[in-house]
Amino acid sequence: MAEARRMRAVELFEQGRPHAQIAGMLGVRPESVRRWKRQWEQGGAAALRRSPATGRPPKLDDAQVEQVRAALEQGAQAHGFEADLWTLERVGLVV
């Protein structure tokens, strides 16, 4: 939804519409429109497309995640716990 608004804003920038009008049409704050226009002027429409998520890289690779999933599907008792109930602590021990 947010990316669609930014792409619509590009169309409206190209039409020469004022920031306040664009903000009203898209239901966003004028500050957002000014920021988007600045990004658009510097990098074109591509600069407004969704960027990949940032943050800490995962600690487990895909194969390890699959191993954990398989272990959890076996149930807690299969891993030596008395009750067949997964808790955060138990999952952490299995991981």
Side-chain angles (χ1 to χ4, degrees), residues 7-84:
M7 293 301 102
R8 177 69 177 128
V10 167
E11 295 171 9
L12 298 170
F13 296 151
E14 291 172 343
Q15 294 173 9
R17 305 263 182 143
H19 294 164
Q21 184 182 26
I22 294 171
M25 292 172 74
L26 299 178
V28 298
R29 298 181 56 89
E31 293 83 10
S32 297
V33 174
R34 283 193 289 276
R35 185 180 66 249
W36 296 344
K37 184 151 189 201
R38 205 170 34 253
Q39 291 172 322
W40 174 67
E41 289 172 339
Q42 293 173 354
L48 293 174
R49 295 209 189 284
R50 178 173 293 204
S51 57
T54 59
R56 175 184 279 192
K59 292 185 177 185
L60 302 177
D61 62 29
D62 291 344
Q64 291 169 320
V65 169
E66 226 15 79
Q67 289 175 332
V68 171
R69 182 174 286 124
L72 295 176
E73 287 174 354
Q74 293 171 353
Q77 288 178 326
H79 295 279
F81 298 108
E82 191 172 309
D84 203 24

